[in-house]
Amino acid sequence: MELIVVNGFLGSGKTTLIQRFLQESQSPFPVIVNEFGKTTYDADRLGRLSDAVTSIHHGSIFCTCKAPEFIDVLSKLLREGHDRILVESSGFADPSAMDGLIVQAMNQAHIESVGVSAISLVDPSTFMKLIGSMAMLRKQVECADVILIHKTDIATLSQVEELSAVLKQLNPHAVQLTGSYGNFDRDRLRFHSLSIQDPIHRGSKKDISSSELTVVCGKWKDLHTITSFLREVQPYLLRLKGTIRTDDQGYRIEIAGISRLIEMESEITDEIVMLYSAKESS
């Protein structure tokens, strides 16, 4: 049994990577999606590709506040005997207690051993800027079996080389890969084995350096107004996700690092979730 845990900061491309896994898999597998906000935005998107997506939202699955729910959901899936389970953690997750929580789920499910691959996605456009103020970025790299330098299509060679050297210092034992749009060399995935006898560790406490704001919107005037709004708030945000509408069209909007996305969308919630650093913005 394979358990693949995809960690990575906000906007590093975790959902895109899991979409690629689902699209290319010859058989369906369950996915646990850990949302940073109150909404189930990513789970809804992945649910279009799989009918076995479970959302745990408004808190990190590795934090003491959500760990019991994660253990219950994972143990149920382990008992069902799937060949592969994927987990997408929150962008603000500290995965230091990841193995211990998985062992608790294994004990609850009476599963003797599981192969775990912890993949940490790193965005070259944001990692070097934020590692000094976001402690969980270091933890996500240090706990990884595989470090994927993602979004290399919009990064310079010097950015990738500088980042690669820093990541090597933080975790010299991990397999280091590069890729874009969820594509990377799957044959180089590295797994570590967990046993039901392994020690159990408690979940981490919530990182209080992040703040979340969820806004319910009415109809927007036009596409130009939406674009202007995103351009104005982008310097202050770590991440933004949402689905909104004008009189004649619905849109999915995102901010991830230096990137902005606006694309047509039919399923609209009229909600925007914004996450920012309490250390850097009010």
Side-chain angles (χ1 to χ4, degrees), residues 26-65:
Q26 296 183 1
S27 58
F29 54 83
V31 180
I32 301 173
V33 180
N34 183 202
E35 307 266 16
F36 71 74
K38 298 176 183 178
T39 62
T40 58
Y41 182 78
D42 288 339
D44 293 342
R45 288 176 60 195
L46 293 173
R48 300 172 190 177
L49 299 172
S50 171
D51 58 2
V53 176
T54 303
S55 174
I56 301 175
H57 54 283
H58 204 208
S60 168
I61 54 174
F62 304 135
C63 175
T64 51
C65 61

Side-chain angles (χ1 to χ4, degrees), residues 1-5 18 21-22 25 27-33 46 49-55 73-74 76-88:
M1 180 180 291
E2 293 182 354
L3 177 61
I4 299 175
V5 183
I18 293 176
F21 264 107
L22 288 168
S25 176
S27 58
F29 54 83
V31 180
I32 301 173
V33 180
L46 293 173
L49 299 172
S50 171
D51 58 2
V53 176
T54 303
S55 174
V73 172
L74 181 56
K76 176 181 179 293
L77 295 176
L78 290 172
R79 283 195 298 271
E80 292 173 356
H82 302 279
D83 293 331
R84 171 182 288 173
I85 300 170
L86 254 69
V87 177
E88 176 189 347

Side-chain angles (χ1 to χ4, degrees), residues 207-233:
D207 187 296
I208 60 173
S209 64
S210 64
S211 295
E212 175 199 325
L213 180 64
T214 300
V215 179
V216 179
C217 307
K219 288 184 180 179
W220 292 65
K221 181 180 178 181
D222 51 30
L223 184 57
H224 174 72
T225 306
I226 297 170
T227 303
S228 298
F229 165 75
L230 293 178
R231 187 183 302 118
E232 182 176 349
V233 300

Side-chain angles (χ1 to χ4, degrees), residues 21-239:
F21 264 107
L22 288 168
Q23 289 166 346
E24 296 180 356
S25 176
Q26 296 183 1
S27 58
F29 54 83
V31 180
I32 301 173
V33 180
N34 183 202
E35 307 266 16
F36 71 74
K38 298 176 183 178
T39 62
T40 58
Y41 182 78
D42 288 339
D44 293 342
R45 288 176 60 195
L46 293 173
R48 300 172 190 177
L49 299 172
S50 171
D51 58 2
V53 176
T54 303
S55 174
I56 301 175
H57 54 283
H58 204 208
S60 168
I61 54 174
F62 304 135
C63 175
T64 51
C65 61
K66 287 293 178 179
E69 184 177 354
F70 172 58
I71 292 169
D72 287 344
V73 172
L74 181 56
S75 65
K76 176 181 179 293
L77 295 176
L78 290 172
R79 283 195 298 271
E80 292 173 356
H82 302 279
D83 293 331
R84 171 182 288 173
I85 300 170
L86 254 69
V87 177
E88 176 189 347
S89 71
S90 161
F92 266 94
D94 172 359
S96 302
M98 175 185 66
D99 281 358
L101 298 176
I102 294 171
V103 171
Q104 290 185 59
M106 291 166 60
N107 275 275
Q108 196 164 302
H110 305 292
I111 301 295
E112 292 292 330
S113 63
V114 171
V116 178
S117 182
I119 308 174
S120 178
L121 271 63
V122 178
D123 182 346
S125 70
T126 59
F127 188 86
M128 298 301 292
K129 299 174 186 177
L130 295 173
I131 189 172
S133 58
M134 299 291 166
M136 79 290 297
L137 268 72
R138 179 182 296 269
K139 297 292 187 182
Q140 290 170 0
V141 169
E142 291 174 341
C143 295
D145 298 300
V146 177
I147 301 171
L148 175 59
I149 302 177
H150 206 209
K151 299 186 173 182
T152 52
D153 59 306
I154 57 172
T156 65
L157 180 59
S158 60
Q159 278 181 312
V160 174
E161 290 177 342
E162 178 187 8
L163 178 57
S164 177
V166 171
L167 296 172
K168 191 70 175 178
Q169 290 182 329
L170 292 174
N171 186 341
H173 307 293
V175 174
Q176 196 175 116
L177 304 173
T178 58
S180 296
Y181 297 103
N183 291 311
F184 68 100
D185 188 352
R186 308 279 176 81
D187 292 335
R188 296 187 63 194
L189 276 182
R190 175 182 290 173
F191 289 81
H192 65 277
S193 180
L194 285 182
S195 164
I196 200 169
Q197 305 298 329
D198 287 334
I200 292 174
H201 302 287
R202 291 175 58 86
S204 59
K205 294 182 179 179
K206 183 180 179 181
D207 187 296
I208 60 173
S209 64
S210 64
S211 295
E212 175 199 325
L213 180 64
T214 300
V215 179
V216 179
C217 307
K219 288 184 180 179
W220 292 65
K221 181 180 178 181
D222 51 30
L223 184 57
H224 174 72
T225 306
I226 297 170
T227 303
S228 298
F229 165 75
L230 293 178
R231 187 183 302 118
E232 182 176 349
V233 300
Q234 186 167 14
Y236 307 102
L237 298 180
L238 299 168
R239 190 75 164 104

